[in-house]
Amino acid sequence: MEMYVFYTNDTALNVYESKLLHHAEIAKITADGFYKLDQEVEASTQIEAIKKLAARRREDAESLGAFTKNMLFSSVIGSLI
């Protein structure tokens, strides 16, 4: 399995095998308006890496939603006391 990194801009997501990226390529990617996402994924293929990233993002969104609901509930209860 290989490590994959992700670079994105407003409209695109690019996937790169981490060990194949060199400084010159990274400079060109960032000059084109892309920035690196903070997550790296270990996968066999680029497609699998994208699926794992999507699953992580979905889990993060669900976790944030649950946290927000808990905070809202706590705030409502706190204001009633």
Side-chain angles (χ1 to χ4, degrees), residues 1 41-53:
M1 291 201 158
V41 173
E42 188 174 14
S44 300
T45 65
Q46 286 184 343
I47 300 297
E48 183 183 342
I50 292 169
K51 288 179 181 179
K52 285 185 176 185
L53 176 68

Side-chain angles (χ1 to χ4, degrees), residues 10-35:
D10 293 335
T11 59
L13 174 72
N14 292 341
V15 184
Y16 301 95
E17 193 173 326
S18 182
K19 71 178 184 182
L20 299 179
L21 275 181
H22 301 287
H23 294 290
E25 292 173 283
I26 293 170
K28 182 181 181 329
I29 292 167
T30 54
D32 289 341
F34 286 83
Y35 62 92

